[in-house]
Amino acid sequence: MKDEPVPPFVGHLPPTEWSVIEREAAALVAVWGRSRQAFATKVSSIQLQALLTIEQHETINLGRLAAALGAVPSSASRLCDRLEAAGLVRRSHCEEDKRELTLSLTPSGRSLVEELQQRRRADLARVLSEMPPAGRIALLRGLQAFAGAADSIMERQAEEPEDDWTRIAARLLA
């Protein structure tokens, strides 16, 4: 992604407002990312990023996976060797071009990704249940406005056209 200049009015927020924004955003990121800790003994962060990327595409070739992970193809290939040995990823020949290998999740890989998603939702639900209804509505509206603004930026800067903030966050916080 290319950096765009920060609009002038944003740079002039008082330090106390920046602190509040950073603290509140950190709380959301921490709750989202906390569920990953339960998977630390199952797969590494980069392995989970690969699984989430493969899940997003259903099938993907090695070059595209490497690009999405910001890795060189040889490193992505070794990563996939480990995931395949663990029974989480399957390599198969592409239907259109038998020379090309595609990657897909095995049932065990899909189950691991689903387990992470359920864990994240449960962690978020615990926090949301502690909030008053008006706070949940305000949070939803605020997050929708934030995501809308982020989507506008994403449309101008996306390296991967299929990327969205949920998928990017999932990979970054894996």
Side-chain angles (χ1 to χ4, degrees):
M1 288 187 191
K2 301 173 197 164
D3 288 333
E4 289 187 356
V6 176
F9 68 89
V10 174
H12 296 295
L13 286 175
T16 54
E17 287 185 36
W18 278 115
S19 295
V20 170
I21 290 169
E22 290 168 350
R23 187 181 92 69
E24 309 311 341
L28 181 60
V29 169
V31 171
W32 176 270
R34 185 177 177 180
S35 55
R36 166 63 180 113
Q37 293 173 343
F39 294 85
T41 59
K42 296 179 182 183
V43 291
S44 69
S45 290
I46 190 68
Q47 288 173 327
L48 185 55
Q49 289 176 33
L51 293 172
L52 291 167
T53 301
I54 295 167
E55 187 262 345
Q56 169 192 347
H57 295 279
E58 293 187 27
T59 61
I60 189 171
N61 68 28
L62 188 64
R64 194 163 181 197
L65 175 65
L69 296 175
V72 295
S74 61
S75 295
S77 181
R78 287 189 300 276
L79 173 68
C80 290
D81 289 343
R82 292 188 297 275
L83 291 170
E84 188 174 32
L88 300 171
V89 168
R90 177 182 311 113
R91 293 181 202 226
S92 51
H93 289 280
C94 177
E95 294 295 319
E96 295 83 33
D97 182 354
K98 296 293 182 190
R99 297 171 295 170
E100 182 179 31
L101 289 175
T102 58
L103 306 161
S104 59
L105 296 181
T106 63
S108 294
R110 190 165 310 288
S111 176
L112 185 76
V113 168
E114 288 171 1
E115 185 181 345
L116 173 66
Q117 291 168 337
Q118 289 171 357
R119 178 83 178 227
R120 282 188 171 150
R121 289 176 183 152
D123 287 347
L124 288 169
R126 268 193 294 284
V127 173
L128 294 171
S129 70
E130 295 287 322
M131 295 174 64
R136 288 193 301 268
I137 291 168
L139 175 65
L140 178 59
R141 287 184 180 143
L143 288 173
Q144 287 171 331
F146 184 89
D151 287 344
S152 294
I153 293 169
M154 175 61 78
E155 288 174 12
R156 295 189 300 268
Q157 298 179 348
E159 294 173 11
E160 280 286 320
E162 296 89 18
D163 270 347
D164 65 26
W165 292 112
T166 304
R167 291 177 176 138
I168 292 170
R171 288 195 308 264
L172 293 175
L173 297 174

